[in-house]
Amino acid sequence: MPRTLDRIARAAVSVLILALIAGLPVEALSETPVEVTPHQEETVAPYVARVYFDAKAKDGSDSYFEILKDGKRVYEQKAKTKGEKFFIGTMYKDDPDAGMVKMGMDITGAGQPDLVISEYTGSANCCLLFQIFEIGPTFKKLGTIDAEFGDSGPHFVHPDKDSKVTGLAIEIHDWTFANWNTDFADSPAPKVILRFSDNAYRVAPDLMRAPVLSASDLAARAAEVKSYAPSAKGGTWPHAKVSPQLWGTMLDLIYSGHADDAWKFLDDAWPPSLQGKDAFASDFRAQLAKSKYWPTVEAMNTAKASS
């Protein structure tokens, strides 16, 4: 009887093992793991950048990128949302900026080769980020530039020839006023220029300053705001219809260092048929204060006023 029980026990164990093996995925039984081929790969020795995307799923849920140095992975980032994709350099190879940010070029002006990874999150009208890495003797991530809605840029630009800035500046837009009292398509987004300074990308007021718009240009814009058809119905802000050209022009002036002219434009362009100009000014200031760039932009205008 003991021998019989022993045989039964061994048989039961064998059946259990077979059952467990049958439940395992094929990859677990294979001695060689399934190799996923990157859909984009570039090399600047000793670094290799690879971007992966699940072509079968087509939703980006398995997309990721990795950076290797001397064959060893030094960085990896996986997609967090469906539809997310990564690109080495710019999203499109025919992008005018593509040749400026090839892997290994000195993007920051620090004298070291760099790598730009573009990250598209896949949401409607949104969003584009730049991951920037230094790939010299020391590997390090230099920063993430959140360009938010990519409809108006972003762009890598050469600073003015008279500027002391070396490397490339990054031109993006401040979307704090997206969908503010208008639809997204008509939402103004003032230009912001960043440069690499003190080991980080920072707003560069000296690159953002520009001559004030001409008197004729401002007069034409004011006339356009006053003749905005929906304003003819009258009313009081915020229920009255006001052309987004009003705060779009104000933002252009403020973000180029001409805040005083922006408030003068408000007085000149406010439709006479509408009430609530002071309430508009208060709401505008409150929205402007929500911008992460506002402290620097405000200081830029204050510095000009005191000079």
Side-chain angles (χ1 to χ4, degrees):
M1 180 66 68
R3 292 181 179 179
T4 301
L5 291 175
D6 184 55
R7 286 197 298 270
I8 293 174
R10 283 183 292 182
V13 171
S14 299
V15 171
L16 178 60
I17 292 175
L18 289 173
L20 290 173
I21 292 176
L24 291 175
V26 175
E27 290 86 349
L29 300 177
S30 174
E31 294 181 359
T32 303
V34 175
E35 182 177 351
V36 180
T37 304
H39 78 267
Q40 191 179 9
E41 177 178 305
E42 293 186 17
T43 300
V44 172
Y47 292 91
V48 178
R50 293 173 179 163
V51 173
Y52 299 83
F53 182 76
D54 186 349
K56 293 184 178 179
K58 295 183 179 180
D59 64 3
S61 57
D62 292 328
S63 64
Y64 69 97
F65 75 92
E66 63 179 0
I67 303 171
L68 294 84
K69 180 181 181 183
D70 294 320
K72 297 181 179 180
R73 181 185 295 157
V74 291
Y75 194 89
E76 179 187 58
Q77 181 176 330
K78 297 183 178 181
K80 298 178 182 178
T81 60
K82 290 186 176 181
E84 188 170 356
K85 294 183 180 181
F86 301 100
F87 305 85
I88 299 173
T90 56
M91 285 181 61
Y92 306 106
K93 293 307 175 186
D94 59 351
D95 188 305
D97 297 347
M100 302 168 65
V101 294
K102 291 182 179 179
M103 182 176 179
M105 299 185 75
D106 181 10
I107 307 299
T108 66
Q112 296 295 330
D114 298 312
L115 168 65
V116 175
I117 298 290
S118 294
E119 176 183 352
Y120 173 64
T121 63
S123 305
N125 295 320
C126 189
C127 284
L128 182 63
L129 298 91
F130 290 136
Q131 313 277 7
I132 304 180
F133 304 87
E134 184 177 297
I135 52 172
T138 300
F139 172 82
K140 57 184 174 182
K141 183 174 182 178
L142 301 178
T144 298
I145 308 301
D146 186 357
E148 298 185 75
F149 308 101
D151 301 65
S152 299
H155 292 294
F156 289 88
V157 296
H158 287 290
D160 184 83
K161 63 181 181 180
D162 295 327
S163 172
K164 296 180 180 180
V165 178
T166 57
L168 298 176
I170 301 178
E171 179 182 298
I172 59 177
H173 289 77
D174 184 350
W175 289 97
T176 300
F177 282 81
N179 298 311
W180 189 76
N181 292 288
T182 190
D183 56 27
F184 178 80
D186 293 323
S187 296
K191 184 193 304 181
V192 175
I193 300 180
L194 311 175
R195 69 177 169 200
F196 192 74
S197 176
D198 295 328
N199 299 312
Y201 281 92
R202 308 177 190 278
V203 180
D206 57 316
L207 299 180
M208 292 171 58
R209 291 186 186 279
V212 67
L213 297 171
S214 67
S216 59
D217 189 355
L218 288 171
R221 295 191 186 200
E224 183 178 336
V225 173
K226 289 180 179 179
S227 63
Y228 185 60
S231 295
K233 297 179 181 180
T236 302
W237 176 269
H239 305 294
K241 296 293 184 180
V242 180
S243 170
Q245 174 77 281
L246 173 62
W247 58 93
T249 299
M250 293 176 68
L251 289 169
D252 286 343
L253 289 166
I254 292 170
Y255 278 62
S256 59
H258 305 285
D260 290 344
D261 294 281
W263 296 111
K264 183 177 183 302
F265 179 78
L266 171 61
D267 292 335
D268 295 339
W270 186 260
S273 59
L274 302 183
Q275 303 296 317
K277 184 181 71 173
D278 291 342
F280 168 85
S282 177
D283 290 347
F284 176 83
R285 284 190 174 95
Q287 188 68 18
L288 190 59
K290 295 179 182 179
S291 169
K292 61 184 177 182
Y293 305 111
W294 175 237
T296 304
V297 173
E298 182 181 34
M300 173 177 68
N301 282 279
T302 302
K304 179 186 177 183
S306 61
S307 60

